[in-house]
Amino acid sequence: MIIKRLAIRRGPWSSLQGTALQRRTYSENVTPKPRSAHAQWYSDTVPAMIPIFLLGSAVYLGLQLTQQTLSHEKFVQEASARVKALEAEVDALQENRTGTPVGTLESKKSSRWW
């Protein structure tokens, strides 16, 4: 009964705590290796570069989107100016062909009964 109580209090390793049988801890005997200069530089620099990379990417993508939007707007304006010029050219050619302005041809068509 007394032996069981002592075994419960001390645990299974309590009887092995003599000088000859001690637990060996491997981390105490190993000396840490010095880090190389490259590894130290990368471990210092790379984590600091991540926010800079993200911010730079966001700025670049924003500027690229702005450039594309302005380029599209310029293209639309040039295309509408070209369409107006072509419409004016077509109207002038129709007027030369028939000898009457284009607006009067449409009014004659509306007066017909069929």
Side-chain angles (χ1 to χ4, degrees):
M1 185 74 121
I2 295 175
I3 296 174
K4 286 183 182 179
R5 285 185 193 165
L6 288 175
I8 291 172
R9 285 185 194 165
R10 294 184 184 173
W13 298 102
S14 63
S15 61
L16 300 175
Q17 288 183 353
T19 57
L21 297 173
Q22 287 186 351
R23 250 186 175 178
R24 182 173 178 186
T25 56
Y26 291 99
S27 62
E28 291 176 4
N29 296 334
V30 177
T31 57
K33 290 173 117 179
R35 295 176 88 177
S36 69
H38 287 95
Q40 184 65 36
W41 185 80
Y42 281 115
S43 67
D44 291 341
T45 308
V46 171
M49 293 296 285
I50 292 172
I52 294 169
F53 172 76
L54 292 174
L55 182 63
S57 297
V59 168
Y60 173 76
L61 291 174
L63 289 174
Q64 187 178 20
L65 178 65
T66 303
Q67 187 268 336
Q68 286 179 352
T69 303
L70 292 174
S71 174
H72 178 69
E73 188 176 322
K74 180 182 175 184
F75 172 76
V76 168
Q77 288 176 351
E78 290 174 354
S80 66
R82 176 76 174 142
V83 166
K84 286 180 183 178
L86 289 174
E87 286 175 348
E89 185 179 343
V90 167
D91 289 342
L93 289 173
Q94 283 181 348
E95 185 178 325
N96 286 341
R97 183 174 157 209
T98 60
T100 59
V102 176
T104 58
L105 288 176
E106 293 176 0
S107 63
K108 287 182 182 180
K109 286 182 183 177
S110 63
S111 64
R112 294 183 184 165
W113 61 273
W114 66 88

